[in-house]
Amino acid sequence: KQWYQRRVAITAGGLADEYLWSLEGGSATVANTTWTGMQESQIEASGNGALAMCLVEGAAAGSQDALVLGILKHLAGAGGSAITHGGSHSQLISAAAPYTQSPFNTQCVNINNVNTGMFGLSISAAGEEIGDVLKSSYGVMIGLNDGVSDQALETAKNKLKLELLSAYESNLAVRAATGLESIAAGSPSSASQLCGAIDSITNEEVIEAAKKINSSAPILVSYGNVESMPLQRELQ
């Protein structure tokens, strides 16, 4: 995790510096990338645990789509520590819990880059249980195609706004947001602008985004004890 955070910090700082340089007459351009999808990789490693990510193409930083996917992330479940016992948890955790006897974690991730992004599931569990955790989590994502209650939508909006506002408390996060959004969208957004855009998102937009995500070609990658990992076609 610390390595990942360092890489994010280096990348974000570089993007922010590139944008600031562009304001002085330089050029802040990023090559377009193409999402291929429909790939899978299983890497065996010693030990009982396993990690898996099931990702589809997401949205670019600074876009309205990125905010809608941010709401989807919080509707399904984002963040949190490994679960060892019952309690009040996200949809993803609650759906997977009946199939597990060991600590596990399943969460939705929404990673936004300059001209594209990644969206999907990040899972850790015992090797013999990770297949069931993945399948139950995938089912939760499919269920979002039917929409959610107004209360659930409002709760997800508030969680996303809190996430964004918390990020603005860090100088590094402000620089990251400035760099990413400015290169991707042309100019950075203030915290109040982002909150206003989140408040305007409708249930119909959430349903449309869920259907698009759930019909996209995923990339499925797993590491560790992967004997019980399902294939992509087994998730459809």
Side-chain angles (χ1 to χ4, degrees), residues 26-153:
S27 174
T29 59
V30 178
N32 288 330
T33 56
T34 302
W35 180 269
T36 56
M38 290 307 294
Q39 300 182 47
E40 56 188 315
S41 176
Q42 295 184 356
I43 304 171
E44 294 186 9
S46 60
N48 183 52
L51 305 172
M53 295 196 79
C54 183
L55 301 170
V56 299
E57 185 174 17
S63 67
Q64 180 75 0
D65 288 343
L67 294 179
V68 177
L69 292 183
I71 289 178
L72 274 181
K73 178 184 76 171
H74 285 289
L75 284 170
S81 302
I83 301 302
T84 57
H85 50 75
S88 177
H89 304 302
S90 70
Q91 285 194 61
L92 290 174
I93 295 295
S94 298
Y99 302 100
T100 62
Q101 296 297 321
S102 303
F104 73 100
N105 188 39
T106 173
Q107 60 179 306
C108 190
V109 294
N110 179 31
I111 304 166
N112 311 120
N113 210 323
V114 173
N115 49 38
T116 187
M118 293 183 291
F119 182 89
L121 297 166
S122 175
I123 296 170
S124 61
E128 64 271 16
E129 297 175 346
I130 195 163
D132 290 331
V133 175
L134 175 57
K135 288 179 180 179
S136 64
S137 299
Y138 193 85
V140 169
M141 302 307 296
I142 294 295
L144 294 175
N145 287 358
D146 298 326
V148 296
S149 67
D150 291 340
Q151 181 178 357
L153 179 59

Side-chain angles (χ1 to χ4, degrees), residues 149-232:
S149 67
D150 291 340
Q151 181 178 357
L153 179 59
E154 190 65 25
T155 298
K157 287 181 179 182
N158 289 335
K159 288 181 178 180
L160 179 57
K161 286 188 286 186
L162 179 60
E163 175 188 345
L164 295 174
L165 291 174
S166 297
Y168 272 81
E169 294 178 359
S170 162
N171 287 334
L172 174 61
V174 172
R175 292 183 69 220
T178 299
L180 280 173
E181 292 182 17
S182 300
I183 295 175
S187 62
S189 301
S190 67
S192 60
Q193 288 174 320
L194 288 173
C195 289
I198 292 170
D199 284 333
S200 69
I201 293 172
T202 65
N203 210 329
E204 287 72 22
E205 290 178 275
V206 171
I207 293 173
E208 182 180 352
K211 289 181 177 179
K212 180 179 179 180
I213 286 296
N214 289 322
S215 63
S216 299
I219 289 176
L220 181 59
V221 181
S222 55
Y223 174 86
N225 181 356
V226 296
E227 290 185 5
S228 299
M229 271 294 297
L231 299 175
Q232 280 185 347

